[in-house]
């Protein structure tokens, strides 16, 4: 069956006469009549009756052409998606999605103006990496450091991957405004000896960063979410190593204070599978970020 024949029959229902349908479609009236005849032959049924007012679909034909019209709309929409701008699905840790990711996505759009980016935030890094392994996302955005994905302290992905570090994420050691270590430079040893180090939980990037900076045997207490960590610090119940972006407002309001020590930054890391179906294009796209 020729889809143009279907489209002509649907148009004839709307315009009612062969001449008006021909004018609307930019065809000769004989071409409209020929398409209708061929469609009826293919279907083995008459679709229209004729009287002085024009062409009228039979009840069965009206139902058929209504369904066919919906099917054609779906096909047209699928064709538009097929030829639409390329898409990229990005999985990101929820803790960084709001603060750090918008700038990266803006850079991606500048590198490829027609790129459509779909963001899938998730608080669980394990689920993000599993989605990457299963091909459910194209790129994962993580906080990490070192020469391999997972050197921060989490499990390495199962699939062969590549990565690109696009931003340093400064870290800050925060304490209550009246903490005794304030007002002078301090060392990591002093921080460890002071004790009371707190964090979110053992799978958290900030927790892993504290262990990597101060040592794997550093005693840390899990207190829940980021808001709880900041509350414990503000009330003098502990010390925490956190990304600067998460405590900027608290430092500005003097609810928290910053120790005079320089912990190493984390890296905002883009990770993708080496065997991605568009690995070369993806690699070139992401590496374009380094040129912006």
């Amino acid at each position: 069956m020729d889809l143009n024949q279907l489209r002509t029959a649907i148009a004839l229902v709307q315009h009612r006469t062969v001449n008006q349908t021909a004018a609307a479609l930019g065809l000769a009236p004989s071409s409209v009549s020929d398409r209708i005849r061929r469609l009826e032959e293919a279907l083995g049924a008459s679709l229209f009756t004729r009287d002085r007012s024009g062409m009228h679909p039979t009840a069965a034909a009206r139902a058929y052409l209504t369904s066919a019209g919906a099917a054609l709309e779906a096909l047209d929409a699928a064709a538009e998606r097929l030829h639409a701008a390329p898409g990229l699905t990005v999985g990101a840790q929820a803790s960084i999605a709001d603060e750090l990711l918008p700038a990266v996505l803006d850079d991606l759009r500048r590198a490829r103006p027609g790129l459509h980016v779909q963001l899938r935030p998730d608080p669980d890094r394990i689920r993000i990496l599993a989605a990457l392994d299963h091909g459910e996302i194209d790129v994962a955005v993580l906080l990490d450091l070192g020469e391999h994905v997972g050197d921060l302290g989490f499990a390495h992905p199962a699939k062969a991957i590549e990565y690109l570090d696009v931003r340093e994420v400064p870290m800050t050691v925060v304490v209550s405004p009246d903490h005794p270590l304030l007002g002078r430079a301090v060392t990591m040893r002093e921080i460890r000896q002071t004790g009371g180090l707190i964090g979110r939980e053992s799978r958290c990037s900030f927790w892993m960063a504290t262990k990597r900076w101060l040592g794997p045997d550093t005693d840390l207490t899990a207190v829940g979410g980021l808001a709880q960590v900041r509350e414990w610090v503000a009330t003098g119940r502990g010390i925490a190593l956190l990304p600067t972006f998460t405590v900027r407002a608290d430092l500005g309001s003097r609810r928290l204070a910053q120790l005079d020590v320089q912990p190493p930054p984390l890296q905002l890391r883009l990770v993708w599978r080496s065997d991605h179906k568009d690995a070369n294009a993806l690699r070139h796209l992401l590496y374009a970020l380094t040129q912006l």
Side-chain angles (χ1 to χ4, degrees):
M1 181 185 302
D2 188 336
L3 294 185
N4 285 328
Q5 295 170 3
L6 268 179
R7 295 183 194 278
T8 302
I10 292 168
L12 182 54
V13 173
Q14 178 183 359
H15 296 289
R16 296 189 177 183
T17 71
V18 169
N19 288 338
Q20 289 177 354
T21 301
L25 298 180
L27 298 171
S30 59
S31 296
V32 171
S33 297
D34 184 61
R35 288 184 180 184
I36 299 302
R37 179 181 58 80
R38 289 175 180 273
L39 179 60
E40 289 177 329
E41 290 175 353
L43 294 173
S46 296
L47 299 178
F48 293 89
T49 61
R50 180 192 298 269
D51 62 23
R52 292 182 178 180
S53 63
M55 303 282 283
H56 306 283
T58 65
R62 184 178 294 277
Y64 170 76
L65 292 173
T66 298
S67 297
L72 286 174
E73 288 181 4
L75 285 173
D76 291 341
E80 287 182 9
R81 290 193 296 270
L82 183 63
H83 295 95
L88 192 69
T89 302
V90 178
Q93 289 179 269
S95 58
I96 63 178
D98 292 338
E99 289 287 338
L100 300 181
L101 202 52
V104 174
L105 297 183
D106 286 345
D107 286 347
L108 278 171
R109 294 185 184 102
R110 281 195 290 272
R112 184 77 66 82
L115 184 68
H116 173 70
V117 179
Q118 179 182 0
L119 177 61
R120 283 181 47 176
D122 193 312
D124 191 325
R125 183 194 307 104
I126 294 175
R127 286 199 297 264
I128 293 174
L129 289 174
L132 186 67
D133 280 345
H134 297 153
E136 297 169 5
I137 59 176
D138 299 303
V139 181
V141 185
L142 310 169
L143 292 176
D144 200 4
L145 49 73
E147 296 183 0
H148 307 92
V149 173
D151 281 357
L152 179 61
F154 55 87
H156 292 214
K159 302 289 185 179
I161 58 172
E162 299 180 53
Y163 73 84
L164 171 67
D165 290 336
V166 294
R167 300 283 189 281
E168 282 193 348
V169 181
M171 303 294 286
T172 299
V173 181
V174 289
V175 295
S176 62
D178 57 354
H179 198 278
L181 290 181
L182 286 170
R184 62 180 178 85
V186 297
T187 65
M188 291 187 292
R189 182 178 180 181
E190 287 180 289
I191 294 173
R192 291 189 61 181
Q193 289 177 337
T194 300
L197 285 157
I198 59 176
R200 294 175 59 182
E201 49 91 17
S202 59
R203 295 185 302 167
C204 172
S205 300
F206 317 149
W207 179 290
M208 294 177 186
T210 304
K211 288 279 190 178
R212 187 175 176 92
W213 181 48
L214 295 177
D217 59 340
T218 300
D219 187 24
L220 279 169
T221 300
V223 300
L226 185 57
Q228 286 83 359
V229 174
R230 296 201 305 266
E231 180 63 25
W232 275 50
V233 173
T235 55
R237 299 162 67 189
I239 300 174
L241 173 67
L242 297 172
T244 303
F245 76 86
T246 67
V247 294
R248 189 173 291 116
D250 290 312
L251 292 173
S253 66
R254 299 186 180 180
R255 182 170 178 262
L256 300 180
Q258 178 179 356
L259 286 186
D260 187 2
V261 64
Q262 294 296 319
L266 295 181
Q267 295 290 338
L268 187 65
R269 180 164 287 180
L270 306 183
V271 183
W272 65 95
R273 283 177 50 171
S274 302
D275 61 352
H276 187 281
K277 59 183 177 66
D278 297 317
N280 288 334
L282 186 59
R283 186 182 302 110
H284 292 153
L285 169 63
L286 297 178
Y287 271 90
L289 293 176
T290 64
Q291 306 302 316
L292 296 173

